[in-house]
Amino acid sequence: MMNESTHTPAPVIEAQARPFSELPLSPSLLATLGQLEYHAMTPIQAASLPLALAGKDLIAQAKTGSGKTVAFALALLTNLNPRRFAVQAMVLCPTRELADQVAQEIRRLARAEDNIKILTLCGGNTMRPQMQSLEHGAHIVVGTPGRIMDHLERGSLTLDALNTLVLDEADRMLDMGFHDDIVYVASQCPRERQTLLFSATYPEGIAELAHRFQRNPHQVTLAEQHAGSKIRQRFFEVAHHARLQAVGTLLRHYRPESTLAFCNTKQQCRDLVDELTRQGFQALTLNGDMDQRERDQVLIRFANRSCSVLVATDVAARGLDIADLEAVINVDVTPDPEIHTHRIGRTGRADRDGWALSLCSSADRRRVDNIAHSTGTEPEWQALDSLVPASDEPLTPPMVTLQILGGRKEKIRPGDVMGALAGEAGLTREQVGKITVTDQSTYVALRREIATDAMRKLAAGKLKGKAVKLRALED
Ligand code: ADP
Ligand code: MG
């Protein structure tokens, strides 16, 4: 080695994946983590969990998809006494989808502990059933600030026994105008408690919130990780008016099973869905004008692989945990390099390769230069007309979603549905994908080849002793 004595290089710290087993977690939680195949901590978990488990208040910042939910879930479960039947932990989330995802993740982690009751309290659902559930008691409440405030004001929720308060996606909650609601809710919590604040970004308002109700918070920030080799990024120049059509060209060439396409406006989202539908693709959009049931259906269909493309704005896609995206398409390059990095960071997860494909008009080239500059990478340009369809077959999603009327309210469980599918329709587990039970409906993903036949047989049979009402969700 040359010059070793005259110049000591900065040490290269290899990010060593650290096992959960080095944390002071209960044996049953460690066992569950193993079953879920969460072996190593993600960087934000490794940075925040030792502090959180030591009872410290935290401000933790890391990008979407970095594993923040598991970080705070392990902390609040560790603080929990299952034998004490009172609300001991509360997670505030910006939207119902996120609250549902968080509640689901906590449920998965808590499955080895007996009888931990987790309740979601969000707007959009009627108050009365929530009040009844609260009367039955819960250990953990997950919900949106507005709805939780309603319950506090009515006295249907009391927080005397609370020991852990979590603000998830704090930046987003501030964006959505929840500041005052959060302050009110926090004022109703006992002073002696642990407060964990999680956020993807760190806008000004966060420091103010933290100052208001955290005690000597430790701040843990994970610098934006640049797109590693797992995300292959390409830029395509295309005339502004031709870019919606160009999305079809990308899809026919790369043939990704699941694609998230980002547009800058809601109108553009709708236009793109129309264009893709016209070209024979299964595409759906998600926006704030939809009612809850419509949003649920879109997310379910995309997540269970019966829709190829989800078109969304940054706001609509924010925080959604959609695993296994083969591609992210930027229909417009965003002017903000940080947002660009967030968008493309949604693909190439969990050791799988992903494509980040950006369409760019000549007027937007400066944006690409900005991105290249801020990430220290050289953009790879490719000519759109060099792309050829990889197959003559249309890009069809592998699954079809079946909607069955009746859900949690009718006490339908995934096992009942699988039972009927195996019994009445003669299906094997391999022919059935995700089964999602919501309040009013149950959604089942079926392999496309057998879907029609299976639906016919199922419609002729019974579920929980009743006739089955069902339909395929296809546009
Ligand atoms: P964030 O809240 O930071 O956006 P999430 O908590 O939604 O991220 O986690 C993203 C994904 O990573 C989830 O699907 C989760 O199950 C998975 N995940 C979290 N922690 C681990 C881990 N230690 N090992 C493997 N996968 C993990
Ligand atoms: Mg999150």
Side-chain angles (χ1 to χ4, degrees):
M1 279 201 189
M2 280 163 41
N3 290 344
E4 205 170 34
S5 54
T6 52
H7 174 71
T8 315
V12 177
I13 301 170
E14 274 284 48
Q16 184 70 48
R18 285 159 52 191
F20 281 102
S21 55
E22 70 179 43
L23 297 171
L25 291 169
S26 72
S28 64
L29 269 179
L30 284 174
T32 304
L33 286 165
Q35 284 162 14
L36 295 173
E37 304 201 335
Y38 293 173
H39 297 298
M41 292 186 260
T42 66
I44 188 67
Q45 289 162 2
S48 61
L49 273 164
L51 292 163
L53 294 173
K56 309 283 185 211
D57 279 8
L58 273 192
I59 302 172
Q61 185 203 342
K63 68 169 188 171
T64 300
S66 52
K68 296 190 287 292
T69 318
V70 171
F72 62 73
L74 291 175
L76 67 84
L77 286 171
T78 298
N79 288 346
L80 202 76
N81 175 0
R83 279 183 299 274
R84 177 152 194 214
F85 213 48
V87 177
Q88 297 166 56
M90 179 163 70
V91 184
L92 302 182
C93 298
T95 64
R96 202 191 91 163
E97 281 90 11
L98 290 168
D100 283 340
Q101 284 186 2
V102 165
Q104 238 171 46
E105 186 83 343
I106 300 177
R107 269 191 199 107
R108 294 201 310 152
L109 290 168
R111 67 184 179 193
E113 327 291 311
D114 29 43
N115 284 322
I116 292 188
K117 189 121 192 289
I118 303 163
L119 209 59
T120 52
L121 299 177
C122 300
N125 296 46
T126 41
M127 284 293 272
R128 186 154 300 280
Q130 292 183 355
M131 293 169 71
Q132 282 161 356
S133 303
L134 278 166
E135 269 172 36
H136 289 116
H139 295 97
I140 302 169
V141 161
V142 183
T144 47
R147 179 52 64 100
I148 285 179
M149 187 171 87
D150 287 349
H151 282 289
L152 288 169
E153 282 176 337
R154 285 176 193 227
S156 43
L157 172 65
T158 46
L159 300 174
D160 307 337
L162 190 100
N163 58 37
T164 318
L165 173 64
V166 179
L167 309 186
D168 190 22
E169 307 246 358
D171 50 352
R172 178 93 182 93
M173 289 200 283
L174 290 179
D175 283 351
M176 292 176 69
F178 281 136
H179 177 273
D180 294 353
D181 295 2
I182 294 172
V183 170
Y184 174 82
V185 171
S187 75
Q188 302 297 300
C189 298
R191 263 172 203 286
E192 270 309 305
R193 61 156 199 268
Q194 185 178 18
T195 308
L196 305 172
L197 185 157
F198 285 78
S199 194
T201 61
Y202 195 78
E204 250 166 67
I206 300 284
E208 188 263 348
L209 263 191
H211 181 71
R212 258 177 194 259
F213 52 69
Q214 286 193 305
R215 287 171 315 178
N216 309 322
H218 289 249
Q219 193 166 343
V220 179
T221 304
L222 245 85
E224 199 64 73
Q225 283 144 4
H226 292 155
S229 56
K230 288 196 303 181
I231 303 175
R232 288 169 293 180
Q233 181 158 214
R234 298 284 182 278
F235 293 89
F236 302 86
E237 187 162 332
V238 58
H240 189 72
H241 65 86
R243 66 204 194 297
L244 298 189
Q245 212 191 337
V247 175
T249 308
L250 295 176
L251 293 172
R252 273 185 292 273
H253 176 79
Y254 291 96
R255 297 182 70 82
E257 204 170 273
S258 289
T259 301
L260 184 57
F262 284 101
C263 293
N264 289 348
T265 65
K266 277 194 277 188
Q267 184 56 47
Q268 201 188 20
C269 288
R270 284 191 283 266
D271 293 346
L272 180 57
V273 169
D274 290 346
E275 174 61 25
L276 291 177
T277 308
R278 202 183 58 74
Q279 293 188 26
F281 296 102
Q282 297 265 350
L284 295 170
T285 184
L286 195 64
N287 70 55
D289 303 338
M290 300 173 128
D291 67 33
Q292 199 55 56
R293 197 180 47 94
E294 291 172 311
R295 294 173 66 84
D296 283 348
Q297 288 189 0
V298 168
L299 284 172
I300 288 167
R301 290 167 68 184
F302 187 64
N304 74 17
R305 311 237 140 192
S306 49
C307 156
S308 307
V309 188
L310 179 64
V311 182
T313 59
D314 293 299
V315 172
R318 187 65 190 271
L320 293 176
D321 172 28
I322 307 169
D324 287 347
L325 283 175
E326 275 83 31
V328 165
I329 295 180
N330 292 306
V331 182
D332 278 319
V333 178
T334 149
D336 184 339
E338 201 179 321
I339 293 179
H340 181 83
T341 308
H342 260 106
R343 286 180 173 184
I344 69 169
R346 291 172 161 282
T347 184
R349 291 224 197 130
D351 300 325
R352 295 182 55 175
D353 287 345
W355 286 106
L357 310 168
S358 302
L359 296 169
C360 174
S361 68
S362 52
D364 291 342
R365 284 194 79 112
R366 275 187 62 114
R367 297 180 172 180
V368 178
D369 293 340
N370 276 340
I371 290 165
H373 184 74
S374 84
T375 56
T377 53
E378 196 59 40
E380 270 190 62
W381 289 91
Q382 197 170 340
L384 202 58
D385 59 16
S386 71
L387 299 183
V388 288
S391 155
D392 294 335
E393 296 286 310
L395 179 65
T396 320
M399 314 297 278
V400 174
T401 300
L402 173 66
Q403 179 185 14
I404 300 174
L405 236 56
R408 263 194 296 266
K409 290 229 168 72
E410 286 71 29
K411 305 235 183 308
I412 291 179
R413 284 164 305 139
D416 304 326
V417 181
M418 192 58 227
L421 288 166
E424 313 274 355
L427 298 189
T428 63
R429 192 70 193 89
E430 287 66 46
Q431 292 169 317
V432 182
K434 264 191 192 158
I435 300 177
T436 315
V437 183
T438 68
D439 281 349
Q440 321 260 4
S441 288
T442 300
Y443 300 93
V444 187
L446 297 175
R447 299 284 325 167
R448 186 164 291 269
E449 315 82 78
I450 51 92
T452 314
D453 187 45
M455 281 176 59
R456 204 167 30 77
K457 289 182 180 147
L458 197 61
K462 286 195 153 57
L463 180 62
K464 299 217 100 177
K466 290 206 186 117
V468 189
K469 284 214 185 88
L470 51 79
R471 65 178 182 129
L473 293 181
E474 294 264 79
D475 298 307

